[in-house]
Amino acid sequence: RNAMDEFALIFNRVPELSAVIVSGGDGITLLKFPKVEAASADGSESSTNFETAFAVAEDAISKLGIGFSKTITVMYENQVVVHMNMHPLVVTFVASPNVNIALILSLFPKLKIALEPVRVALERVPNQ
């Protein structure tokens, strides 16, 4: 199955989701499902802020000397954001506050397999 097929299945299993965003480590959005902007915590239409926030948090966490994080979950008043680290990819789930976070986290292995071709291709791109 390709990544878009996997995203469609995820949306069927997790109806509280509003978006799944796949970005490179530099914050550039590579895939988005559904193909609409996800609202940020303040209600503005921005997804780039999520990826940037993950990069900053990941950098700070890695300095603790306990390794790199696999996931970071952030709960806001009006939504939940779950970031999955698949270096050099970051997968961001944006959902309503009543989402089953454990269900999202359980999707990590299948999504990692579906995104492996994208991850490998991105690793081959030389740094600019």
Side-chain angles (χ1 to χ4, degrees):
R1 249 184 285 203
N2 68 33
M4 295 309 279
D5 290 340
E6 199 63 41
F7 287 160
L9 289 173
I10 288 169
F11 268 81
N12 286 334
R13 288 186 64 195
V14 189
E16 299 86 0
L17 279 177
S18 57
V20 179
I21 305 157
V22 179
S23 62
D26 54 4
I28 295 174
T29 299
L30 303 172
L31 300 168
K32 190 182 301 181
F33 194 90
K35 296 179 181 178
V36 295
E37 272 306 304
S40 66
D42 65 2
S44 65
E45 298 294 316
S46 174
S47 61
T48 308
N49 294 336
F50 291 134
E51 290 82 7
T52 302
F54 175 82
V56 170
E58 176 60 34
D59 183 55
I61 291 167
S62 69
K63 291 177 182 173
L64 295 174
I66 56 175
F68 291 97
S69 65
K70 287 184 180 181
T71 65
I72 294 177
T73 302
V74 184
M75 294 178 217
Y76 297 98
E77 185 176 320
N78 61 350
Q79 66 187 10
V80 171
V81 179
V82 178
H83 300 285
M84 292 184 175
N85 186 1
M86 299 181 191
H87 186 74
L89 299 176
V90 174
V91 180
T92 301
F93 294 82
V94 182
S96 66
N98 58 340
V99 70
N100 182 339
I101 296 170
L103 180 57
I104 291 176
L105 296 175
S106 74
L107 301 171
F108 188 89
K110 281 188 175 184
L111 196 53
K112 190 171 183 177
I113 291 167
L115 289 170
E116 184 64 11
V118 178
R119 191 192 68 73
V120 169
L122 192 59
E123 278 188 334
R124 291 183 181 152
V125 174
N127 293 335
Q128 300 291 327

